[in-house]
Amino acid sequence: MYYCKNDACKHLKPYITLRGLMAHVRCCHSNSPMGSDAGFQSAAPQISSEHSSSQIDTYIDMDYDYGHGTADNNMLTAQNNAADTQNCPTALHEEIVGFKAEPYGIVPGNDSQDLCLSELEYRIASYATENELSKSSYTGLISLIGSVIEHCPGASTQPDISIQSIESLNYKISLGNKSRYSIPFKTVEIDPADIDGFPERHIEEFRREAGKIFFSYRDIIALCELLFSYRPFWDHTILNAAIVTRDGERVYTDIYSGNWWENGQRKLPKGDVLLAIMLASDQADVSANGREKAWHLYLKLGNTPKAIRNKDKEKASRVLAYFPVIKKSARYGNLEWYRTARKAAFHHCLRIVLGPLANNGNEIKSIFLRGPHNKIYKCVPMLACYTADLPEQRLLSLTMSGNAAMSCPRCFEQTSNFKDLPANTILLRSTKLMKDMFQHALALENNNQQADAYNMRRTYSMSTVKNAFWEIPGFDIYRSLLVDDLHQLGGVYEHLVNCIEQSIKEKRNGVRLIRRVDERASQLPPYRKLRQFHNGFFLSNLRNVAYAELKDHMAILLVVIHDLVDPQFIISMRYFIDFYFSATSKEHTDASLQIVQDSLEDFQKYSAIFAKYSKSGLAFPKKHMLSKYVGDIRNMGCIDGYSTQQSEHQHKKDAKSPAKRTNKRYSSVKQMAEFVHRRDLLFDMQAQNSQPRIEKPNLGVQPTTHKLISKLNPSSINELFASHVNVGQFERLIRSFLDTRMEGRNSTRNLSNMPKLDTEIVTRYQTLIIDDYDVDGICVREKVHARENYHGRDRYDYAIFRDGESGHIYGADNGRTWAKSILQRIIHFFGSRSSSQFILFQTSAAANSTAMMHYIAVTL
């Protein structure tokens, strides 16, 4: 039952339907204030229901800006909502672990230094450096700028450009070499005779085969101090670990919120800062033919938030060293001594670059560094993570490949058991354990038990080379090797898809079924982030598949194969996809991590069907690494904080671009290092003179907002209706929709009883913008443009309307069926679709006298 809440009625007469109450309001309370402004007053009549515990107001204020140009009140409301969000129960709360970091003093004087470049000269230098201009191109740019300035009307004075050539620019930059921001590379030639663990009997053969070996590196302590005291990061630098919670539940976001930093912080003396060093290395092709390669070692600090350190423009990740690329030998490549020599040379370079952090005892070395706001902090450097792909993880841990009995670089699980989830009691590798086993193998050799030593190394996947990380306290390389979404998750997915393709091909009509899958993948309707694969769907038809393509491939896999393969394939892949997307979330709780673990166990339960089509029977290392995701997230935070995607993307600026500035000779590594040094110095000198950021990241959950822009002319709906003869039918269509939304099964066909439309307040727009925010406060924006076709196809999947009672925006997912039917009918009424546009229908309170306001955006 419904009652009128107007004081004149005194709740006397009940109404069975909402329509009856609406008719009563229009008849008996027509003199009540029902204008567009008065309808939002608290004195407006209201409607209540005895079956509902909540009262529904007749008029509801909608705090949205629809582009009318009067957004002051809406902006104020949005600011108030944002302020309330900070104190809402869904906001993140941080509790510092251990003792708060305390500075030991402050560096006196002005920290700013200058290259004596004007603003115009700095912009020219930045453009030339970032775009790797040649001498002739740079001279042409200066000449062009001079001509433009000379012919610029009204210019009373001509600016003087002192950097007329590349040589003069490099000289200007070299003036800053004496500043603390200058951290040049030191290039040394590696002599195989000086390498610890190098096969002594093959030194001359190695020299003839590999030639001269050059290694370029920077001072690791100076580079850490530069990043730790970087002026733009002053207000964001993390000095303490924290336990992050939301609604009382533990949340894992960045490295500082994980168990590793928490445990390390509790062991530090009072006031000390844990310096979380993050390393990453990978070989990259720097030539089009793939013959020339560069091997970079990147450094960044976990004390810089991941929202900053993962962006290239922030320069929070720097090149620490360039490893020598010792190519595989066609003559000696399969010999054990040559592989051992390459490993020994790599770890010799690591000893050089990590040498300043070495300590004589087992205690971690403490160093005093300049930090935020030029304050001095006592820092304890520790290796947070070393990001690398699987072959490089084996090189770092000095473990053998998959032919060994225990080939995992992080634990002692049997290679044959990689197809199963490991037990919780599996023994993990550690620096102490591996050093003891290495010494035991040496003792066996010294006791003339070479066969036993060989079998021991083969069984436990050990090398004869001494690991460089054993000499640095706090740098446990085995714990620092973490999971990776780019190579590991992507590699497992590619393996499973290849198994599915193989199973389809083995069917009687396999070729026809493969063709059917390709047709389905190429004929999907266009939608945001829905990729169409026109050149074949399976990975055997794709070349150099990018990570984003794999995610798009994953989104439609089950759709195109669901009825062509064994149902167990579908069930298993569904659980793997659930595991994939849940594991790569940007925020985790204990509950979400349990979902990740459950998805992995369900995938493992049904994955046996893939073993028949897998050469290894699913016993391969990347499959084994899936069991380590939950533990790594608890220890080090979410995967996006240490993914190899960042280092792979950094190759463009620090590998491929510098390589273009070299002459491709033996000294190319030194030339790349000099280019990177000049570029970093130019950037740092300018950045250190700028003011630090003052904005803070929003940790609260923001509501979804939307607005309409690009107002059409004429904007009035009446002017549009004036050019069409079927306006009455169109109006009946909209009014019937509103009546059905309110009454459900009690809707009527009588037009007089339906809600009325006030077309005076309707405005037409062409673009709809929807801003959605995830729990990290990251905005996901979608722009919906009204078009009559999309890539030559009619598109009827836009129907966005707002229900004032629930406060939700319904889009193509929830309103797809309704969208297709109503838009086809609208197009039929209006006839031609020559002009494509959004029309926003807003039914005013005076028109329908209901408890909700409806907004309908349709595409014509």
Side-chain angles (χ1 to χ4, degrees):
M1 293 293 182
Y2 297 90
Y3 296 88
C4 178
K5 296 181 66 176
N6 191 283
D7 294 336
C9 294
K10 298 181 180 180
H11 301 257
L12 295 178
K13 183 179 180 180
Y15 295 90
I16 299 177
T17 63
L18 183 60
R19 188 186 305 106
L21 179 57
M22 290 164 49
H24 162 74
V25 172
R26 288 195 298 268
C27 177
C28 301
H29 305 293
S30 57
N31 295 327
S32 299
M34 293 188 181
S36 60
D37 293 331
F40 297 122
Q41 304 300 322
S42 60
Q46 297 178 332
I47 303 171
S48 65
S49 171
E50 65 182 11
H51 300 294
S52 176
S53 59
S54 62
Q55 296 181 339
I56 307 174
D57 296 338
T58 305
Y59 313 109
I60 298 179
D61 190 357
M62 313 302 291
D63 294 325
Y64 282 90
D65 178 19
Y66 292 104
H68 291 285
T70 58
D72 294 340
N73 294 334
N74 294 322
M75 292 177 63
L76 181 60
T77 303
Q79 293 174 359
N80 294 336
N81 291 339
D84 294 338
T85 302
Q86 297 292 338
N87 298 322
C88 68
T90 57
L92 293 176
H93 301 279
E94 298 182 357
E95 179 183 353
I96 293 179
V97 175
F99 299 102
K100 185 177 180 180
E102 297 292 342
Y104 279 74
I106 188 170
V107 179
N110 187 7
D111 187 50
S112 301
Q113 297 186 28
D114 199 359
L115 289 176
C116 299
L117 295 177
S118 64
E119 181 64 24
L120 176 60
E121 290 175 334
Y122 174 76
R123 295 183 65 179
I124 294 174
S126 299
Y127 178 82
T129 304
E130 292 292 336
N131 294 275
E132 302 93 31
L133 296 185
S134 62
K135 293 183 179 181
S136 59
S137 299
Y138 183 84
T139 304
L141 175 64
I142 296 297
S143 177
L144 178 61
I145 294 175
S147 299
V148 172
I149 294 176
E150 181 180 356
H151 294 85
C152 181
S156 58
T157 58
Q158 301 295 331
D160 183 24
I161 301 179
S162 61
I163 47 175
Q164 294 290 328
S165 63
I166 286 287
E167 289 78 6
S168 60
L169 173 60
N170 293 338
Y171 174 75
K172 280 276 190 179
I173 297 176
S174 65
L175 295 178
N177 284 334
K178 296 182 180 180
S179 69
R180 73 177 187 90
Y181 310 120
S182 176
I183 308 177
F185 286 85
K186 182 180 180 180
T187 302
V188 296
E189 183 178 355
I190 303 299
D191 186 1
D194 298 333
I195 299 177
D196 187 16
F198 196 91
E200 297 180 358
R201 295 183 299 174
H202 304 279
I203 291 179
E204 293 301 327
E205 295 178 82
F206 184 82
R207 285 174 176 170
R208 290 193 301 267
E209 185 68 23
K212 293 183 178 181
I213 303 175
F214 291 94
F215 175 52
S216 296
Y217 66 98
R218 280 168 157 171
D219 186 347
I220 186 173
I221 296 181
L223 191 59
C224 288
E225 184 177 39
L226 174 67
L227 296 176
F228 187 58
S229 62
Y230 205 58
R231 188 180 182 88
F233 307 158
W234 276 2
D235 296 328
H236 300 278
T237 301
I238 301 169
L239 300 178
N240 290 87
I243 297 179
V244 184
T245 59
R246 176 184 284 119
D247 297 338
E249 186 177 15
R250 179 81 180 264
V251 177
Y252 303 94
T253 55
D254 205 348
I255 293 180
Y256 74 95
S257 65
N259 294 333
W260 172 80
W261 200 326
E262 177 188 353
N263 297 333
Q265 187 76 43
R266 297 186 187 278
K267 299 176 182 179
L268 297 182
K270 183 178 180 180
D272 287 7
V273 176
L274 191 151
L275 195 68
I277 295 178
M278 305 174 65
L279 300 177
S281 62
D282 188 26
Q283 289 193 31
D285 294 330
V286 295
S287 61
N289 55 16
R291 296 178 181 177
E292 300 295 331
K293 297 181 181 295
W295 197 350
H296 296 69
L297 176 61
Y298 300 115
L299 179 142
K300 51 187 174 183
L301 297 181
N303 304 78
T304 306
K306 66 179 180 181
I308 297 176
R309 69 173 183 264
N310 289 344
K311 295 181 180 179
D312 287 343
K313 66 178 182 179
E314 304 293 352
K315 305 292 184 182
S317 179
R318 300 300 179 92
V319 180
L320 176 60
Y322 287 94
F323 290 118
V325 179
I326 305 175
K327 299 180 180 180
K328 295 181 179 180
S329 173
R331 182 179 180 183
Y332 303 110
N334 295 327
L335 298 181
E336 182 66 25
W337 73 264
Y338 192 80
R339 293 195 294 267
T340 302
R342 295 175 64 192
K343 295 177 183 179
F346 175 78
H347 279 265
H348 179 74
C349 295
L350 281 176
R351 287 188 185 90
I352 296 176
V353 71
L354 299 178
L357 299 177
N359 203 357
N360 295 329
N362 295 325
E363 296 294 330
I364 302 176
K365 185 176 182 178
S366 300
I367 52 179
F368 288 92
L369 298 180
R370 183 200 301 251
H373 301 280
N374 291 327
K375 297 179 180 179
I376 302 298
Y377 291 91
K378 185 181 179 183
C379 300
V380 180
M382 299 179 67
L383 182 61
C385 65
Y386 198 122
T387 304
D389 55 13
L390 183 59
E392 198 152 337
Q393 286 187 1
R394 288 172 175 157
L395 178 61
L396 292 166
S397 60
L398 288 177
T399 54
M400 298 182 182
S401 63
N403 296 327
M406 302 176 183
S407 60
C408 178
R410 300 178 56 183
C411 68
F412 289 99
E413 178 65 283
Q414 293 284 339
T415 304
S416 58
N417 295 335
F418 281 177
K419 62 181 181 297
D420 302 320
L421 295 180
N424 295 330
T425 57
I426 191 68
L427 183 62
L428 302 179
R429 297 180 187 266
S430 65
T431 297
K432 183 179 183 305
L433 182 60
M434 295 301 294
K435 287 176 65 176
D436 293 342
M437 296 176 66
F438 182 82
Q439 295 296 334
H440 184 68
L442 286 181
L444 291 176
E445 288 184 342
N446 295 333
N447 198 28
N448 294 326
Q449 294 177 284
Q450 283 78 6
D452 294 338
Y454 175 82
N455 293 332
M456 178 181 178
R457 292 192 178 102
R458 193 72 182 174
T459 301
Y460 296 103
S461 185
M462 299 167 51
S463 175
T464 58
V465 179
K466 187 177 180 181
N467 199 306
F469 290 96
W470 295 349
E471 305 169 8
I472 315 296
F475 278 56
D476 190 344
I477 185 60
Y478 308 100
R479 183 213 51 79
S480 302
L481 299 176
L482 304 179
V483 294
D484 175 39
D485 55 344
L486 179 61
H487 297 95
Q488 293 176 2
L489 279 180
V492 174
Y493 177 74
E494 291 180 8
H495 188 91
L496 298 178
V497 172
N498 290 333
C499 292
I500 293 176
E501 181 182 9
Q502 186 66 26
S503 68
I504 296 177
K505 288 182 177 179
E506 290 185 0
K507 293 180 179 292
R508 182 177 180 182
N509 54 347
V511 176
R512 184 172 60 85
L513 295 179
I514 293 292
R515 191 180 302 115
R516 183 184 301 178
V517 172
D518 295 340
E519 292 175 355
R520 290 177 177 178
S522 62
Q523 296 177 359
L524 290 174
Y527 191 64
R528 183 174 70 98
K529 292 186 178 181
L530 188 62
R531 184 188 296 268
Q532 294 178 340
F533 294 85
H534 297 286
N535 299 324
F537 178 71
F538 285 105
L539 301 179
S540 59
N541 299 322
L542 306 178
R543 295 293 181 269
N544 298 325
V545 184
Y547 181 71
E549 289 182 280
L550 280 183
K551 296 183 70 174
D552 295 338
H553 192 279
M554 194 179 304
I556 64 174
L557 173 67
L558 301 182
V559 176
V560 298
I561 68 169
H562 69 280
D563 58 342
L564 304 179
V565 297
D566 191 295
Q568 189 170 343
F569 279 115
I570 304 299
I571 297 174
S572 181
M573 286 303 300
R574 170 58 190 272
Y575 285 126
F576 177 79
I577 294 174
D578 289 345
F579 170 80
Y580 184 98
F581 283 101
S582 57
T584 54
S585 298
K586 296 183 178 180
E587 180 181 298
H588 275 289
T589 63
D590 290 330
S592 67
L593 290 178
Q594 185 60 45
I595 294 175
V596 175
Q597 185 64 29
D598 293 342
S599 300
L600 177 60
E601 293 176 357
D602 291 334
F603 162 71
Q604 179 65 33
K605 185 188 305 182
Y606 296 99
S607 64
I609 192 172
F610 290 95
K612 176 182 177 182
Y613 307 98
S614 173
K615 294 182 180 180
S616 61
L618 290 184
F620 59 102
K622 293 181 180 180
K623 164 70 166 50
H624 167 68
M625 290 294 179
L626 299 181
S627 61
K628 305 183 184 299
Y629 276 76
V630 174
D632 285 353
I633 293 174
R634 280 200 169 96
N635 288 328
M636 306 301 298
C638 296
I639 300 175
D640 64 327
Y642 43 85
S643 172
T644 55
Q645 293 187 64
Q646 285 79 42
S647 58
E648 293 283 350
H649 191 266
Q650 194 173 348
H651 288 335
K652 297 179 181 179
K653 289 294 183 182
D654 292 325
K656 301 181 183 296
S657 295
K660 297 178 182 178
R661 309 297 299 166
T662 66
N663 55 14
K664 305 297 188 297
R665 297 180 180 178
Y666 66 90
S667 61
S668 59
V669 172
K670 182 178 180 180
Q671 298 174 41
M672 293 172 62
E674 291 176 351
F675 175 83
V676 171
H677 172 241
R678 288 196 303 267
R679 186 198 61 192
D680 290 351
L681 181 58
L682 174 66
F683 181 87
D684 293 339
M685 294 290 286
Q686 182 70 16
Q688 296 288 0
N689 293 325
S690 62
Q691 295 297 322
R693 293 187 184 87
I694 58 174
E695 69 272 9
K696 292 291 184 179
N698 183 13
L699 300 179
V701 180
Q702 302 184 41
T704 300
T705 60
H706 78 283
K707 65 179 179 179
L708 288 160
I709 61 174
S710 303
K711 185 185 299 184
L712 296 178
N713 190 20
S715 61
S716 172
I717 193 68
N718 287 333
E719 298 181 34
L720 180 67
F721 284 171
S723 60
H724 297 81
V725 296
N726 295 324
V727 175
Q729 296 177 352
F730 181 73
E731 182 180 0
R732 180 184 181 90
L733 175 66
I734 302 300
R735 293 177 64 181
S736 63
F737 162 72
L738 295 177
D739 186 65
T740 304
R741 286 281 297 170
M742 291 184 297
E743 298 293 342
R745 292 181 177 272
N746 295 326
S747 59
T748 181
R749 295 184 178 181
N750 189 347
L751 184 62
S752 61
N753 292 333
M754 294 180 184
K756 294 183 179 180
L757 295 178
D758 185 359
T759 58
E760 294 294 336
I761 60 175
V762 174
T763 308
R764 298 190 301 147
Y765 300 91
Q766 193 169 5
T767 304
L768 174 68
I769 298 179
I770 301 177
D771 288 338
D772 193 12
Y773 297 86
D774 59 14
V775 292
D776 299 310
I778 299 176
C779 177
V780 181
R781 168 166 289 190
E782 178 178 6
K783 285 188 177 181
V784 181
H785 302 280
R787 300 173 182 172
E788 90 180 53
N789 63 68
Y790 183 81
H791 294 287
R793 297 185 182 182
D794 293 337
R795 188 164 183 168
Y796 304 124
D797 59 346
Y798 290 145
I800 294 89
F801 51 91
R802 189 174 195 276
D803 189 332
E805 181 181 12
S806 61
H808 295 293
I809 298 175
Y810 299 88
D813 293 337
N814 293 337
R816 194 180 190 88
T817 304
W818 174 83
K820 187 173 181 180
S821 61
I822 192 171
L823 292 178
Q824 287 177 345
R825 295 171 67 185
I826 290 174
I827 290 170
H828 172 72
F829 289 136
F830 276 87
S832 173
R833 288 184 289 113
S834 58
S835 61
S836 180
Q837 58 207 336
F838 273 114
I839 299 181
L840 172 68
F841 295 96
Q842 173 180 339
T843 60
S844 67
N848 56 22
S849 300
T850 65
M852 62 187 70
M853 299 184 67
H854 303 274
Y855 300 85
I856 307 170
V858 298
T859 307
L860 299 182

